[in-house]
Amino acid sequence: MLNRSRQILSEPLRLQCCRYLASDQKPTPPRTLITGSLGQLGLTLAKEMRSRYGRERVVCTDIRKPPKIVLQSGPYRYANILNKSGLEEILVEHRIDQVVHFSALLSAIGEQNVTLALQVNIEGFHNIIDLCKIHELKLFCPSTIGAFGPETPKNPTPDLTLQRPKTIYGVSKVYMELLGEYYHHRYGLDFRSARFPGIISATTPGGGTTDYAVQIFYDAIESGHHECFLEPNTRLPMMYISDCIQSVVQMMECPAEELTQRTYNIAAFSFTPAEIVAEVQKYVPLTVEYKVDKTRQKIASTWPEVLEDKNARKDWGWDPQYTLEKMVPYMLQKVKSQLHSEQVIKDLF
Ligand SMILES: NC(=O)c1ccc[n+]([C@@H]2O[C@H](COP(=O)([O-])OP(=O)(O)OC[C@H]3O[C@@H](n4cnc5c(N)ncnc54)[C@H](O)[C@@H]3O)[C@@H](O)[C@H]2O)c1
Ligand SMILES: C[C@@H](O)[C@H](N)C(=O)O
């Protein structure tokens, strides 16, 4: 895993990473805290970071009871991001150097509970960013294609453009981007953010508009039939989990002077439901029925089709490895193992 990760980094970044990997060289690897680590992305990132920096140097947190295997794999702490002093205690006790802030309510679930989304996505972020400022910690918080709206150019969508999202999720992410950049400008906080496409992994997602693109693999393996909640021609940017995790590591390890901006679009590939169905059908029999969910379709219709990521490629060597065609057989294999032997959670550690 470690070799693979290093292979795909650009030359300057690879040299930077080697500084963490060679035990006789300085500086020592960072101590990292991940919030919302039991969601779709957190444990995969924890596994990658632990392989690079050491098991005890990555502290997973969330408000949910973790599976036993998570407890066995390294430090895990209960941390509600709405409890600022509780968070501070953990940051101080573990002598944390950097935070990856994943806790959030995603687009579809946010529309079902706007008050809670405001609390988690905005108040929670206030707590995190203030603590990072006080304790001089580096902060990564992902943004999303959901930070754009219907007025945004859809194809391609540049880094700097109109952002008038129509979900509370999108509004809170634009606020997060702006506040992070303000704290960087005003206080020198080392804030970094990448706008993720919909992420596809065998770990199931937590209430987003792009979730169909994970569910389709479970349906293909379990029943051979998928009910799709988006229209067949809805094109959205997507990315495989391995590339997503690489983007976090690469961006966090990039020397500050190489970043020309603090929020970057990142892209891998885009597809429509009809296109992913056709790709899955190359490997397994699959029928599909389009039962469109009006709320999620309305959200998807306001999002970009293709993100422009030339600045991320130029500044910190962003170079995704997975295409739709390469990802589909991997996903089918992962989901099959997950269903038959809970292998995916084991794979994480
Ligand atoms: N998954 C994607 O497709 C995607 C795409 C773009 C951006 N992102 C961003 O990446 C981050 C991680 O996404 P994810 O898919 O893992 O999300 P997820 O919904 O799967 O997980 C979020 C986690 O936050 C935790 N959480 C909720 N309330 C909390 C609270 N009060 N205190 C602490 N933790 C709390 C939940 O328990 C959950 O484990 C989010 O910020 C999301 O906006 C994700
Ligand atoms: C796109 C992303 O932010 C998330 N998967 C959602 O659909 O809400």
Side-chain angles (χ1 to χ4, degrees), residues 106-107 144-145 169 198 208-210 303:
L106 303 194
S107 58
T144 162
I145 49 173
Y169 176 61
T209 302
T210 57
W303 285 359

Side-chain angles (χ1 to χ4, degrees), residues 30 41 103 111 115 205 250-251 258 333:
L41 312 184
S103 300
E111 291 310 291
T115 307
Q250 274 183 264
M251 209 183 163
E258 288 176 19
Q333 192 51 48

Side-chain angles (χ1 to χ4, degrees), residues 120-325:
V120 174
N121 296 7
I122 292 191
E123 283 175 40
F125 184 66
H126 282 170
N127 290 338
I128 289 286
I129 198 168
D130 260 341
L131 291 171
C132 287
K133 170 178 164 267
I134 293 166
H135 296 284
E136 297 181 353
L137 314 180
K138 192 188 279 188
L139 171 61
F140 178 90
C141 183
S143 190
T144 162
I145 49 173
F148 299 108
E151 300 88 353
T152 307
K154 271 181 180 297
N155 188 350
T157 301
D159 277 317
L160 270 183
T161 185
L162 277 171
Q163 288 182 265
R164 288 290 179 274
K166 300 294 181 261
T167 60
I168 192 60
Y169 176 61
V171 169
S172 66
K173 288 291 186 178
V174 174
Y175 178 77
M176 179 278 294
E177 291 179 5
L178 292 176
L179 195 68
E181 291 181 8
Y182 173 76
Y183 267 54
H184 171 67
H185 164 75
R186 178 78 171 73
Y187 304 114
L189 177 79
D190 196 347
F191 166 82
R192 304 172 182 212
S193 182
R195 294 191 187 112
F196 291 164
I199 307 302
I200 301 174
S201 70
T203 323
T204 46
T209 302
T210 57
D211 293 7
Y212 89 88
V214 172
Q215 187 59 41
I216 195 169
F217 290 97
Y218 280 87
D219 291 343
I221 300 293
E222 282 187 302
S223 64
H225 182 73
H226 175 64
E227 280 185 2
C228 186
F229 59 70
L230 294 184
E231 288 167 1
N233 58 353
T234 311
R235 184 172 303 285
L236 290 171
M238 301 277 187
M239 181 160 66
Y240 187 52
I241 184 85
S242 304
D243 282 328
C244 171
I245 297 310
Q246 282 306 311
S247 77
V248 181
V249 172
Q250 274 183 264
M251 209 183 163
M252 286 299 262
E253 290 185 355
C254 184
E257 59 276 15
E258 288 176 19
L259 300 176
T260 59
Q261 54 199 60
R262 290 283 154 172
T263 305
Y264 287 85
N265 286 350
I266 56 170
F269 46 82
S270 295
F271 58 76
T272 65
E275 287 166 355
I276 192 172
V277 167
E279 199 57 38
V280 173
Q281 284 170 335
K282 289 182 186 169
Y283 298 90
V284 288
L286 177 70
T287 55
V288 60
E289 187 180 354
Y290 291 96
K291 283 200 167 172
V292 175
D293 174 76
K294 279 188 186 159
T295 310
R296 282 182 286 196
Q297 182 62 48
K298 208 167 152 192
I299 294 172
S301 306
T302 68
W303 285 359
E305 291 182 353
V306 176
L307 292 183
E308 182 184 88
D309 63 358
K310 63 180 182 193
N311 293 325
R313 288 174 184 268
K314 174 171 63 70
D315 289 358
W316 46 274
W318 170 237
D319 183 21
Q321 302 297 297
Y322 283 83
T323 58
L324 172 65
E325 294 73 20

Side-chain angles (χ1 to χ4, degrees), residues 1-21 48 52-53 242-243 245-254 313 316-321:
M1 167 66 81
L2 194 129
N3 288 339
R4 180 188 56 75
S5 306
R6 289 174 62 194
Q7 268 164 15
I8 68 172
L9 297 174
S10 65
E11 192 60 33
L13 289 169
R14 210 178 303 146
L15 291 173
Q16 170 76 1
C17 297
C18 288
R19 294 197 296 165
Y20 297 133
L21 299 168
E48 176 65 15
R52 303 176 86 84
Y53 309 141
S242 304
D243 282 328
I245 297 310
Q246 282 306 311
S247 77
V248 181
V249 172
Q250 274 183 264
M251 209 183 163
M252 286 299 262
E253 290 185 355
C254 184
R313 288 174 184 268
W316 46 274
W318 170 237
D319 183 21
Q321 302 297 297

